[in-house]
Amino acid sequence: MQEWYRSRGLYEAVMKLVESGRMLEAQKMAEGIPDEVIRSKALSQIALEAVRKGEDYRGFLSSAIEAALEIGKPGESTKALMSLAFEFLNLGKPEEALKIARYIKELPGRSKVEAEVALSLAREEKLSEAIEIINGIMDEDVKTWAMSRLASQL
């Protein structure tokens, strides 16, 4: 329990550094957060804020992905990666969301991210890319759902 409180305190300090634009300091502090889930969340927030500020986010994204993969709790790694992917998609970075999806080991989670990326591309009238992604989805239920949604968007 003490680890969790220490982790939450460090997370809050990391967020203050991020707010003040001190991204590298925030990353260094975040990497020292003992709780794996909170560390992953902090590093994800740093990467997302770098995108919002128009800064080079690639190194921060790599750290966020690595931290999510290090989470030892079943399903938590998938949730962290899916959340990060959806956030990047919402920030207009579908290619990064797709890259993050490749790290998701659980097929349904990876497929859901791929489907949402495809539908986002379809809304941007990039139909051939969207169909290619949908055709590559391995979860048949998600593939069927995505193709149906794509058809209804046309």
Side-chain angles (χ1 to χ4, degrees):
M1 192 60 130
Q2 196 172 29
E3 179 182 285
W4 186 86
Y5 283 111
R6 183 168 181 262
S7 295
R8 285 300 305 171
L10 285 169
Y11 176 83
E12 294 301 324
V14 166
M15 292 301 98
K16 296 281 186 203
L17 289 171
V18 169
E19 287 172 19
S20 66
R22 296 160 58 190
M23 307 297 269
L24 291 174
E25 286 179 69
Q27 181 182 22
K28 185 175 173 106
M29 183 178 285
E31 289 170 350
I33 294 175
D35 183 275
E36 297 168 331
V37 174
I38 296 173
R39 180 183 331 120
S40 173
K41 183 177 180 182
L43 289 166
S44 291
Q45 291 303 314
I46 294 167
L48 293 166
E49 191 58 30
V51 172
R52 288 183 194 105
K53 291 182 176 189
E55 297 178 8
D56 183 6
Y57 59 84
R58 291 172 295 185
F60 298 124
L61 177 57
S62 293
S63 294
I65 291 170
E66 186 178 314
L69 291 170
E70 291 173 354
I71 298 173
K73 298 173 186 168
E76 290 296 322
S77 178
T78 295
K79 283 198 288 189
L81 289 167
M82 286 180 70
S83 175
L84 183 60
F86 287 134
E87 289 286 348
F88 266 83
L89 185 59
N90 289 336
L91 291 173
K93 300 283 183 188
E95 66 286 342
E96 297 296 356
L98 207 50
K99 175 184 168 186
I100 296 164
R102 292 187 190 113
Y103 289 96
I104 299 172
K105 293 178 178 86
E106 294 178 13
L107 187 61
R110 180 173 60 236
S111 296
K112 288 174 187 169
V113 172
E114 291 169 339
E116 291 297 338
V117 169
L119 294 171
S120 174
L121 291 171
R123 284 188 291 276
E124 296 174 13
E125 298 185 11
K126 298 177 181 176
L127 290 178
S128 62
E129 291 176 57
I131 291 171
E132 183 178 333
I133 292 169
I134 290 172
N135 286 334
I137 293 173
M138 297 182 72
D139 184 308
E140 290 299 323
D141 291 335
V142 176
K143 182 187 282 190
T144 301
W145 173 83
M147 196 58 84
S148 172
R149 289 284 311 269
L150 177 66
S152 70
Q153 285 183 6
L154 298 177

